[in-house]
Amino acid sequence: MIINLVLLVVLPIAAGLASLALKNAAHRKHAASFILLLGIVISGISFAAKPPALDIRLIEGFTLSLEYHVIAALIMVFINLFCFLVCVFAGDYGRDGRDFYSYLPMLAGFANLTVMAGDFLLFAFGWGAMLVLLYAFLYPGSPDSARKAATVVGTADFMLILGIAVFVYLSGSTAIPSDGAGLPMDSPLSFFAFLLLFAGAAGKAGAWPFHPWIPAASTTSSMPVMAILPASLDKLLGIYLLARVCTDVFSLSRAAMGLILLVGGFTVLFAVLMALVQKDARKLLSYHAVSQVGYMVIGFGTGVPIGFAAGVFHMLNNAIYKTGLFLSSGAAGKEKGTFDIGKMGGLARAMPATFVCALIFSLSISGVPPFNGFVSKWMVYQGAVSGMFAADGVLKVIFVAALLAAMFGSALTLASFVKFMHSVFLGQETAPEGSNKAPREAVRGMKYPLIGLAALCVVLGVFPGLFLENVAQPWIRGATAFTGEWDALAAFVLLALGLLAGAGLVFGKLVKKKLKVSDAYFGGQEKSPEINFPATEFYRTIREMPRVAGFYRILDLPVMDIYNVMTSGLRNIGFILYYAVDRFINLLTCAAGAAVLGISSIARKAHTGNLDFYVIWCLVAMVVLFIVIAG
Amino acid sequence: MMFILTIAIPFAGALIVALANVRHRQWISSCVLGLTLLSAVATVPAVKSGAAGLSLPVSEWFSLSFEADGIAVFMAVVSSLVAFVICVYSGEYMAKYSNRGSFYPWMVLFVGSMMGLVYSANLVLIYVFWEMTAVCSWRLIGFYRGKEDVRAADKAFLVTFFGASFLLAGVAAAYAHFGTTELSELSGSPLPNLIAFLFLGGIISKSAQLPLQSWLPDAGVAPSPVTALLHAAVLVKIGVYVFARLFLRTFVPGEEFLTAVMTVSVITIVVAAGSALVSTNMKRILAYSTVSQLGYIMLALSLNSEIALKVAFIYILAHSLGKAGLFLCAGVVEHETGTKDITMLGGLLKTMPRTGVAYLLCAFSIMGIPPFLGFWPKLMVIILTVQAGYIAAGVLAVAGALFTLFYLLRLFYEVFLGKSGPQEAGEEKTPAMVYSVLFLGAVSLLLGLLPKLPFNFLDQVVK
């Protein structure tokens, strides 16, 4: 474990800090790539070898411990993998400053430390350190976005700390339990602790109501930043915590399950509705990043093994395709000079590899078989249905609502990505903004990470057993298998054969009749740039639909943004405390001072400087003394 | 007996500085404080093998008793380190003031008084050094000699003197009750609540806890090295140090008393943090922050356990480094722009990037965000408080931490980001000032990443 600590935590952090002294961005990038590649190898070996736990005594009563949990070991591989791929991509993307390459290994180091932590102290340390790096990553894009993110995530982090404190009070130890026997939630205090830990997890993962910083940051930060934090690492860690809380730390009560399901269902629905009407590719993807968290949360709310497995599997799948989506739209945006999807269009021809990868990511996120998103979403549904049959009363109703939200959300996700793919890669070709250069395929450094991620979507979709048998089964020790007849491999083979046949027909000139391409007819008008029918306009009508419009109005209210609520709320409390307590006490202090001065001004009258006067005083005093002594 | 040097060097140094030419006072002071730091560090090995002491009887009720134990040495090292950095910083800051000559002797004398206090092993001696620090701080706060400055200095002196009179009454009552003022003879004695509350009166006035906190924000009129030294690093820590010395190392306090201290501390945390959020004066915000952070230290001490004592001292270290850095950053900004009003500032990061980075390093530590040192004690205080069954106090402590996050980020944004305010600044032309602050921020980061270093050190010296 010492080797792991050194190579996966100390080395990346130290290297990241040391590389801040390097002036050349390329040198920093190479150093970061090497460290992260090493991280992939070491974490991969550790996944198989499972090194023993290690304790480091900090002070009496507070021991830091490192241990390998089966999910943690898997997540660590992906932490290093994502960081490496994003590092490679960012090199050719060329929008990030040189500090990006110093922060990246540090981020990986702290994330590794967080998941290796066997106690809540070390966990909170790694977890919180990522907040500073989140701030550092977002800051160059927009200091305001960075502030919003730091405030919202920082709030969730402090809730987590309080939750840890209450848990320690209940359990008597700072160790994170790993035996699967969670504390029973049989008192208001245990529910309170759960609520706080849940808030911490939701805050990191970006679930409602801790999501607003993600869309805000999306338009100001570079795509590699969005890909590595809100799309992948934040999700991995947030859901990792939720997984541990729901399985190891607590034994979920009915109320807790209901709460998780409600938050999950609402997150899916509200975020996908917001995503549907976005015109900016980055905002659209960031709302989907929020929406997908809802599925993971629902998985844990089901309280059944298949649901837990689904939550973790969807976390992994989402991190893969969401990172891919951010990176592929980053590649497309770079060529077009804009992220306004109404102005992109027609990139499939110029960027075929990026298009195919983006298509795979889009199909995955929409839950289309045989890709990985389908499998984990299916498992979520299966978990929800199993939980629903076991529930009764209000909880049953909540289960139904969450299931409906998940299914409806999935349909809307597909609708949203039809818009995305059509607007960005298909549709009418538009000229790049601010440049006469024709769009070109992404260069190797950007393309290969996309291909790698797309391949993972296919592999995990076709062979879900890789996850289920190697991670889910050893972790949950319960029924995590599918019910029903679904053969992913057969479905994939059939789909691949269909695609190959189609390609053969088109490219092998088996279709004799040539396709006829005609210009659109615009009522006799000549085609001009003004005559354009972007899909964004079509989807705008959704916002104006009766009843739905009211829902959007509610979602747009300032109170729906927790950042606004907190900043104004805390400021108002601050005013009350300042004027009602601090200034009031100051007034009393000043009044006491004035009273002392008043008394002294009276006493001063007895000091005239006249000798006769002092002699009279002395005589009076002598008389008084005489009376006292004589009496 | 190395620790006697730690007291003697600054006292002798103050005299030398006062006699030296004004032009040489800064570097002589830095040397004196550097030597003080070295002698404090040199005491550590001796203390690891057991506390060292010295007692010279003067009368039946008073002895010149000093003792170097773990908490005393720790406090001496931390205070002299921060004082040394501040003195290096002050060279450029004070250069433009014609009366700067009076600053250095008082500053060195103040450090000497502080060293005397931390090593005192007699109640009367504690009181004597306590009041010496009050006189020094009164003179230092009123450095500019303007009407407002003198008023603030008078207020600070009167409020702390008001508290000190309770302390003196407590000393007298303790002598009447126990028949001695020697801490070694009083060790383990149960303390009547009346005497405990008399001591507490002095402590809360010095450490600016409610309701005797109002002097500290007003004292921000002083030059930044003074505010950093007095209000962040040293003066305000005297109260919490004496609390630890009396209630965790000497007497056995009652439960009601400790509950009252905890109540005062959590109210102070929240009220001061809320006040910091609405203030618009840089130094007032930082002063309120100090009041609030001292609440956490008092909270830890009120738990009355060995672990909590160690955590409180790590908190003192983290706060001294971080808050001194923040006050010194405010000093750099004030030095370059001539204002402390954050509504007049903005966009300074363009011209003062190093100061901005140093501010963030120190601010993250004060906020309690990892990987900075401030994280560890804040987390531990909250855990220990809740673990002891004081859930509500834990909730308020977390609320205070949230306020801290808000007001320190707000301060950064108002001063360093956004559009340039009416008061623009030139480039950073004071390298010693800027690098002093960066040093404090870097130490906060380093010790945060390697927490075993300070905890081990404390573990070895505090037994």
Side-chain angles (χ1 to χ4, degrees):
Chain A
M1 189 58 100
I2 286 280
I3 295 169
N4 288 35
L5 180 65
V6 171
L7 294 180
L8 291 172
V9 180
V10 178
L11 181 66
I13 295 171
L17 280 171
S19 71
L20 285 168
L22 295 175
K23 293 224 163 102
N24 189 314
H27 292 165
R28 291 195 192 189
K29 186 197 152 193
H30 293 144
S33 302
F34 174 73
I35 300 285
L36 294 167
L37 200 56
L38 185 69
I40 297 171
V41 174
I42 301 296
S43 54
I45 294 169
S46 303
F47 182 72
K50 297 179 181 59
L54 173 74
D55 286 346
I56 304 164
R57 182 184 175 276
L58 192 59
I59 194 170
E60 192 193 336
F62 291 106
T63 300
L64 308 178
S65 61
L66 296 158
E67 67 171 32
Y68 263 88
H69 190 277
V70 63
I71 317 175
L74 174 77
I75 287 176
M76 212 183 306
V77 175
F78 279 90
I79 286 170
N80 293 289
L81 177 68
F82 287 134
C83 287
F84 174 72
L85 291 178
V86 168
C87 187
V88 172
F89 181 93
D92 284 323
Y93 186 66
R95 293 281 192 278
D96 300 284
R98 62 186 177 184
D99 289 345
F100 177 85
Y101 303 105
S102 297
Y103 299 150
L104 212 50
M106 284 195 252
L107 183 72
F110 283 119
N112 288 336
L113 180 67
T114 307
V115 293
M116 278 165 78
D119 72 288
F120 273 121
L121 250 66
L122 204 56
F123 181 88
F125 179 73
W127 180 276
M130 289 181 67
L131 176 69
V132 177
L133 287 164
L134 171 70
Y135 187 83
F137 272 117
L138 298 182
Y139 183 86
S142 162
D144 288 330
S145 295
R147 181 187 190 178
K148 189 170 189 172
T151 307
V152 173
V153 180
T155 303
D157 286 3
F158 279 119
M159 293 173 85
L160 173 74
I161 284 176
L162 186 60
I164 289 171
V166 179
F167 172 75
V168 172
Y169 170 70
L170 292 168
S171 70
S173 166
T174 56
I176 304 173
S178 56
D179 54 2
L183 272 183
M185 293 172 62
D186 51 5
S187 67
L189 200 58
S190 56
F191 187 76
F192 180 55
F194 163 77
L195 206 61
L196 292 164
L197 293 174
F198 178 52
K204 186 67 97 190
W208 179 88
F210 297 102
H211 67 282
W213 69 271
I214 302 175
S218 69
T219 52
T220 55
S221 302
S222 76
M223 282 304 195
V225 168
M226 291 306 291
I228 197 60
L229 275 161
S232 52
L233 258 60
D234 281 351
K235 299 284 176 290
L236 289 178
L237 293 178
I239 299 303
Y240 168 68
L241 174 63
L242 189 58
R244 298 298 299 271
V245 167
C246 293
T247 57
D248 287 328
V249 178
F250 285 108
S251 176
L252 291 184
S253 67
R254 284 166 51 89
M257 284 162 64
L259 177 79
I260 299 172
L261 287 170
L262 283 174
V263 171
F266 186 74
T267 301
V268 167
L269 214 54
F270 121 86
V272 81
L273 278 169
M274 292 303 290
L276 207 57
V277 295
Q278 298 305 318
K279 291 179 178 177
D280 187 297
R282 298 164 298 185
K283 271 198 160 181
L284 182 146
L285 293 179
S286 59
Y287 273 112
H288 278 297
V290 176
S291 167
Q292 293 299 305
V293 176
Y295 288 95
M296 306 165 208
V297 172
I298 290 174
F300 290 106
T302 60
V304 295
I306 185 81
F308 293 153
V312 172
F313 197 28
H314 198 66
M315 163 200 78
L316 196 62
N317 292 333
N318 173 68
I320 295 166
Y321 55 65
K322 192 49 63 57
T323 304
L325 280 168
F326 270 110
L327 296 185
S328 52
S329 58
K334 189 188 177 197
E335 293 304 309
K336 281 288 182 183
T338 180
F339 286 98
D340 184 339
I341 55 177
K343 294 177 182 171
M344 294 174 92
L347 280 172
R349 202 180 291 271
M351 308 176 78
T354 309
F355 165 66
V356 171
C357 291
L359 183 65
I360 291 174
F361 301 138
S362 299
L363 293 173
S364 298
I365 194 173
S366 305
V368 175
F371 301 107
N372 58 350
F374 164 75
V375 185
S376 48
K377 276 191 182 175
W378 181 264
M379 287 164 69
V380 171
Y381 300 148
Q382 195 174 314
V385 171
S386 307
M388 187 176 69
F389 285 124
D392 54 12
V394 179
L395 187 60
K396 201 178 192 87
V397 177
I398 294 174
F399 259 108
V400 173
L403 186 60
L404 287 175
M407 294 173 77
F408 187 51
S410 200
L412 291 180
T413 304
L414 182 62
S416 183
F417 276 94
V418 166
K419 174 177 102 172
F420 174 77
M421 289 304 293
H422 174 266
S423 301
V424 177
F425 290 101
L426 305 172
Q428 284 177 283
E429 209 166 312
T430 55
E433 265 197 7
S435 164
N436 293 324
K437 236 172 57 180
R440 287 185 306 177
E441 179 58 276
V443 293
R444 278 184 302 178
M446 291 163 73
K447 195 164 59 180
Y448 290 159
L450 292 177
I451 294 170
L453 291 166
L456 274 174
C457 286
V458 177
V459 169
L460 286 174
V462 177
F463 304 106
L466 286 175
F467 169 80
L468 292 171
E469 284 154 25
N470 295 309
V471 180
Q473 290 286 1
W475 164 45
I476 298 176
R477 297 179 284 271
T480 54
F482 285 115
T483 50
E485 293 295 324
W486 167 248
D487 189 334
L489 185 59
F492 174 72
V493 169
L494 285 174
L495 189 76
L497 284 175
L499 284 171
L500 279 174
L505 284 171
V506 173
F507 297 110
K509 296 185 179 168
L510 297 173
V511 179
K512 288 190 179 152
K513 197 174 177 184
K514 205 177 172 187
L515 284 171
K516 187 183 173 188
V517 180
S518 298
D519 284 336
Y521 179 69
F522 298 113
Q525 297 285 316
E526 216 168 282
K527 188 189 169 194
S528 67
E530 288 78 33
I531 301 173
N532 193 10
F533 301 100
T536 47
E537 290 304 307
F538 171 70
Y539 278 78
R540 197 161 63 97
T541 52
I542 295 168
R543 193 184 262 277
E544 291 155 7
M545 282 162 69
R547 292 194 188 87
V548 179
F551 191 59
Y552 273 109
R553 271 198 295 277
I554 294 170
L555 294 182
D556 286 338
L557 287 173
V559 292
M560 293 300 285
D561 188 333
I562 192 175
Y563 178 71
N564 293 337
V565 175
M566 281 171 51
T567 43
S568 58
L570 281 180
R571 198 167 167 75
N572 290 338
I573 294 169
F575 268 111
I576 293 167
L577 292 172
Y578 181 63
Y579 287 107
V581 185
D582 183 78
R583 288 300 86 193
F584 179 67
I585 290 172
N586 186 58
L587 194 70
L588 291 181
T589 308
C590 293
V596 170
L597 285 176
I599 293 166
S600 75
S601 69
I602 295 166
R604 208 180 297 149
K605 287 177 182 160
H607 293 273
T608 59
N610 187 330
L611 186 62
D612 300 345
F613 199 73
Y614 286 112
V615 171
I616 292 167
W617 270 118
C618 289
L619 284 172
V620 170
M622 283 172 71
V623 170
V624 171
L625 272 174
F626 180 77
I627 293 167
V628 170
I629 292 165
Chain B
M1 291 303 155
M2 179 64 82
F3 73 90
I4 292 296
L5 276 180
T6 316
I7 307 169
I9 289 170
F11 272 108
L15 194 64
I16 295 166
V17 173
L19 294 172
N21 187 300
V22 172
R23 280 182 299 152
H24 303 301
R25 288 186 181 182
Q26 192 263 334
W27 71 262
I28 296 174
S29 302
S30 298
C31 290
V32 169
L33 294 178
L35 284 172
T36 309
L37 171 63
L38 287 177
S39 66
V41 172
T43 314
V44 173
V47 171
K48 278 184 185 173
S49 54
L54 170 77
S55 187
L56 299 171
V58 176
S59 72
E60 191 187 326
W61 54 274
F62 175 60
S63 304
L64 283 172
S65 300
F66 297 96
E67 189 184 6
D69 64 355
I71 60 170
V73 169
F74 187 85
M75 202 69 189
V77 171
V78 173
S79 306
S80 54
L81 169 69
V82 178
F84 172 68
V85 175
I86 290 169
C87 193
V88 171
Y89 169 100
S90 68
E92 287 171 344
Y93 186 95
M94 303 300 285
K96 64 180 177 185
Y97 300 112
S98 57
N99 61 335
R100 65 184 182 279
S102 66
F103 167 76
Y104 293 104
W106 284 107
M107 181 189 178
V108 177
L109 184 63
F110 175 82
V111 175
S113 310
M114 174 74 184
M115 294 302 139
L117 188 140
V118 297
Y119 287 121
S120 291
N122 181 289
L123 285 174
V124 178
L125 210 51
I126 287 175
Y127 177 77
V128 170
F129 284 117
W130 179 283
E131 286 298 47
M132 283 176 73
T133 60
V135 173
C136 294
S137 62
W138 170 71
R139 187 62 186 78
L140 286 167
I141 293 168
F143 171 80
Y144 291 126
R145 313 312 298 159
K147 194 178 171 190
E148 190 66 14
D149 310 304
V150 172
R151 195 195 67 80
D154 287 349
K155 185 175 181 181
F157 184 75
L158 289 173
V159 173
T160 51
F161 180 76
F162 173 73
S165 55
F166 282 99
L167 180 70
L168 183 62
V171 171
Y175 180 71
H177 188 78
F178 298 106
T180 179
T181 54
E182 285 296 301
L183 295 186
S184 56
E185 291 168 24
L186 293 166
S187 183
S189 311
L191 191 64
N193 277 342
L194 175 68
I195 303 175
F197 279 109
L198 286 171
F199 285 146
L200 187 66
I203 288 163
I204 62 170
S205 72
K206 207 65 143 185
S207 285
Q209 299 292 284
L210 255 69
L212 298 177
Q213 87 291 5
S214 66
W215 67 271
L216 191 67
D218 287 3
V221 296
S224 286
V226 174
T227 44
L229 183 72
L230 270 57
H231 309 146
V234 187
L235 178 70
V236 291
K237 302 289 175 7
I238 290 174
V240 287
Y241 171 77
V242 169
F243 187 97
R245 169 67 62 205
L246 295 184
F247 298 114
L248 279 86
R249 275 284 173 268
T250 308
F251 298 108
V252 179
E255 275 299 313
E256 306 84 359
F257 170 73
L258 291 172
T259 308
V261 173
M262 179 178 283
T263 309
V264 168
S265 63
V266 290
I267 292 173
T268 303
I269 287 171
V270 178
V271 170
S275 302
L277 195 60
V278 295
S279 294
T280 55
N281 178 306
M282 258 190 308
K283 283 193 180 170
R284 284 189 78 86
I285 293 171
L286 295 177
Y288 277 120
S289 173
T290 298
V291 175
S292 177
Q293 298 304 310
L294 285 165
Y296 285 96
I297 300 170
M298 289 291 278
L299 175 61
L301 293 173
S302 71
L303 295 170
N304 196 24
S305 70
E306 199 65 17
I307 307 170
L309 173 75
K310 289 175 184 172
V311 169
F313 274 80
I314 295 292
Y315 209 120
I316 288 175
L317 170 66
H319 183 254
S320 298
L321 294 170
K323 193 50 70 61
L326 289 180
F327 269 113
L328 296 183
C329 275
V332 177
V333 171
E334 190 192 355
H335 191 264
E336 299 295 333
T337 62
T339 184
K340 290 177 274 190
D341 186 349
I342 60 173
T343 59
M344 305 285 282
L345 297 167
L348 293 185
L349 199 65
K350 288 176 213 140
T351 51
M352 306 172 76
R354 289 187 191 90
T355 311
V357 169
Y359 174 93
L360 272 184
L361 292 178
C362 296
F364 279 133
S365 187
I366 297 295
M367 287 175 204
I369 305 278
F372 297 89
L373 180 61
F375 162 76
W376 294 105
K378 191 167 275 183
L379 173 72
M380 288 173 175
V381 169
I382 291 167
I383 288 180
L384 288 170
T385 305
V386 175
Q387 206 173 8
Y390 301 103
I391 312 282
V395 172
L396 287 174
V398 171
L402 206 56
F403 270 117
T404 311
L405 176 80
F406 269 75
Y407 67 70
L408 286 179
L409 275 182
R410 168 179 169 253
L411 184 56
F412 179 68
Y413 275 73
E414 298 285 341
V415 174
F416 290 101
L417 300 178
K419 288 181 185 165
S420 299
Q423 294 289 333
E424 292 190 14
E427 288 180 4
E428 293 157 330
K429 297 185 212 94
T430 49
M433 285 167 70
V434 175
Y435 286 108
S436 302
V437 189
L438 274 171
F439 170 76
L440 292 169
V443 173
S444 295
L445 176 60
L446 190 70
L447 293 180
L449 285 169
L450 304 167
K452 221 167 152 45
L453 282 179
F455 279 107
N456 247 0
F457 173 68
L458 202 61
D459 238 4
Q460 286 176 8
V461 296
V462 180
K463 296 184 179 74

